Amino acid sequence: MNQPIYSLVIPIFNEEENIIEMYNRLTQVIEKLDGKTEIILIDDGSSDHSLNMIRELHQQDSRVCYLSLGRNFGHQIAVTAGLNFVQGKSIIVMDADLQDPPELILEMIEKWQQGYQIVYAQRVSRQQEKWSKRLTAYLFYRILRRLTKVDIPVDTGDFCLMDRQVVNILNSMPERNRYVRGLRAWVGFSQTSVLFTRSPRYAGDVKYTFSKSLSLAIDGIISFSRVPLRLATYLGLISAIVALIMILLVLYWRVFTPVTSLIGYTLITIAMFFLGSVQLICIGILGEYIGRIYEEVKGRPLYTLKETGGLVKNYIDSNLPN
Ligand code: UDP
Ligand code: MG
């Protein structure tokens, strides 16, 4: 009876300047919803006052539940953790920095009520983000699409609405590499988009540093494509062809021209570096896949929980601290 219809999943990592404003804007939107709503805030090992503020919100407002991860596990894991505990029929994932406008939720819910099971927010433009971020994001989403058979829509982040059925499937996926927007596309079902302009952060610095974004990009590609492995094969084939041509050339020079004039250190050095780099690239590609197999095989839990508030023990019972 008392089950919420709507669940909001919001990962938080050092967002003390944004939490109150985000909560205020969100509650205005929630007032307009036609069903009971729960807000699940996930503290991803923040080192500022975020967790205290989350606790206070939980005390003031019974709709707010929270979980606090044992340390910083990263955005994708934080979202995954939140999804593990949602109770609603319609689940919305959004960022805490107000780059994802809460008002868009109403539009997403309308689409859900029309029967769509996944409604993702697609950016038409990114206001005031650095050109380097805009360019790399633009290129990445297009390269990823070419490399994989899964229909991962371009320019979409994790801001989306998912039906309970979709979340159940995501929760049942055992894999450790959680590229949530890819997994969401992989599920299939009826999907649609709502368009929005990504506003600048309300306050604070980006938590996705360049290296975090790069590793998210590599995770996305490796989890959804085997093309890089094939690339290694192609690189090997190309260097074999180059080697064959070189053998013929060297033989030709040896027989028909004075030896010393053409074959020298330059040629040998170039060949050495060329082969060396082809080999290293291939080992690197292999390593990316093997590293992931290693992660999967270890089978460690995806995250640890140090504290929770208001959560119902519905999913991973044993994982909830007392
Ligand atoms: N975030 C998180 N863990 C992290 C990094 C980020 O939970 O390790 C959260 C962050 O608090 C925010 C969301 O993920 O709510 C998106 O982060 P950010 O705004 O830095 O990324 P961007 O908007 O540039 O994608
Ligand atoms: Mg942001």
Side-chain angles (χ1 to χ4, degrees):
M1 266 308 278
N2 231 358
Q3 288 276 95
I5 309 280
Y6 302 108
S7 299
L8 296 160
V9 172
I10 307 173
I12 291 172
F13 176 51
N14 294 343
E15 302 282 8
E16 57 182 7
E17 299 118 310
N18 292 314
I19 291 178
I20 300 298
E21 177 68 15
M22 183 269 298
Y23 173 76
N24 290 339
R25 263 178 72 183
L26 203 58
T27 40
Q28 281 172 22
V29 174
I30 290 174
E31 304 300 323
K32 296 183 191 149
L33 297 182
D34 56 357
K36 193 177 166 202
T37 306
E38 63 171 357
I39 305 174
I40 298 187
L41 303 176
I42 304 106
D43 163 45
D44 186 14
S46 299
S47 52
D48 64 357
H49 297 297
S50 297
L51 182 56
N52 282 333
M53 297 169 85
I54 293 173
R55 283 192 199 113
E56 270 168 37
L57 284 181
H58 169 61
Q59 266 152 22
Q60 286 164 21
D61 184 342
S62 62
R63 292 171 299 187
V64 178
C65 319
Y66 71 92
L67 52 158
S68 177
L69 306 188
R71 61 173 172 83
N72 180 244
F73 281 89
H75 181 207
Q76 302 293 306
I77 299 294
V79 170
T80 305
L83 292 179
N84 285 166
F85 290 99
V86 292
Q87 294 186 79
K89 291 188 167 61
S90 170
I91 293 101
I92 295 127
V93 178
M94 61 179 278
D95 286 357
D97 57 359
L98 291 169
Q99 282 200 283
D100 303 335
E103 296 73 25
L104 204 70
I105 293 175
L106 298 171
E107 216 177 302
M108 291 172 149
I109 288 177
E110 230 169 78
K111 298 264 184 191
W112 176 68
Q113 285 165 343
Q114 286 166 18
Y116 290 103
Q117 279 150 311
I118 296 179
V119 186
Y120 50 83
Q122 195 160 29
R123 297 179 282 264
V124 277
S125 76
R126 290 166 173 262
Q127 275 177 8
Q128 292 169 27
E129 280 193 280
K130 270 206 298 197
W131 68 267
S132 54
K133 168 118 190 183
R134 293 211 303 260
L135 179 73
T136 45
Y138 178 88
L139 288 176
F140 167 70
Y141 286 114
R142 277 145 190 89
I143 292 173
L144 179 62
R145 260 187 90 80
R146 304 213 100 205
L147 291 184
T148 169
K149 289 196 189 86
V150 180
D151 186 12
I152 303 177
V154 294
D155 302 329
T156 56
D158 291 322
F159 187 23
C160 68
L161 179 151
M162 289 178 278
D163 187 79
R164 177 84 237 173
Q165 209 182 347
V166 174
V167 172
N168 284 345
I169 295 173
L170 290 185
N171 284 342
S172 70
M173 290 180 175
E175 59 191 274
R176 256 114 265 284
N177 261 293
R178 310 298 293 199
Y179 186 63
V180 178
R181 58 199 80 162
L183 296 176
R184 181 183 76 206
W186 179 90
V187 171
F189 292 142
S190 53
Q191 312 203 356
T192 188
S193 62
V194 290
L195 301 179
F196 80 114
T197 302
R198 193 151 157 97
S199 359
R201 252 178 174 273
Y202 178 72
D205 295 327
V206 226
K207 306 299 176 299
Y208 259 99
T209 51
F210 176 73
S211 66
K212 271 191 184 174
S213 299
L214 184 67
S215 88
L216 181 70
I218 295 177
D219 275 349
I221 291 176
I222 305 285
S223 311
F224 284 91
S225 173
R226 282 197 310 231
V227 174
L229 278 177
R230 200 158 301 153
L231 191 77
T233 317
Y234 291 154
L235 269 175
L237 282 176
I238 292 169
S239 63
I241 293 168
V242 174
L244 201 69
I245 295 171
M246 285 312 297
I247 291 169
L248 294 176
L249 261 180
V250 171
L251 283 178
Y252 173 81
W253 290 328
R254 181 71 185 82
V255 178
F256 295 105
T257 58
V259 185
T260 45
S261 69
L262 270 170
I263 310 169
Y265 286 117
T266 325
L267 200 68
I268 294 170
T269 319
I270 291 172
M272 220 172 68
F273 278 114
F274 174 72
L275 282 179
S277 46
V278 167
Q279 281 167 358
L280 287 177
I281 291 169
C282 295
I283 293 173
I285 295 174
L286 276 180
E288 286 292 336
Y289 286 88
I290 293 172
R292 276 163 181 79
I293 299 172
Y294 181 53
E295 287 302 318
E296 298 294 336
V297 170
K298 274 193 291 191
R300 285 186 191 154
L302 278 176
Y303 53 86
T304 57
L305 287 176
K306 69 174 178 218
E307 186 183 325
T308 62
L311 288 178
V312 175
K313 294 194 179 204
N314 62 345
Y315 188 67
I316 337 176
D317 278 335
S318 56
N319 221 350
L320 271 181
N322 297 316

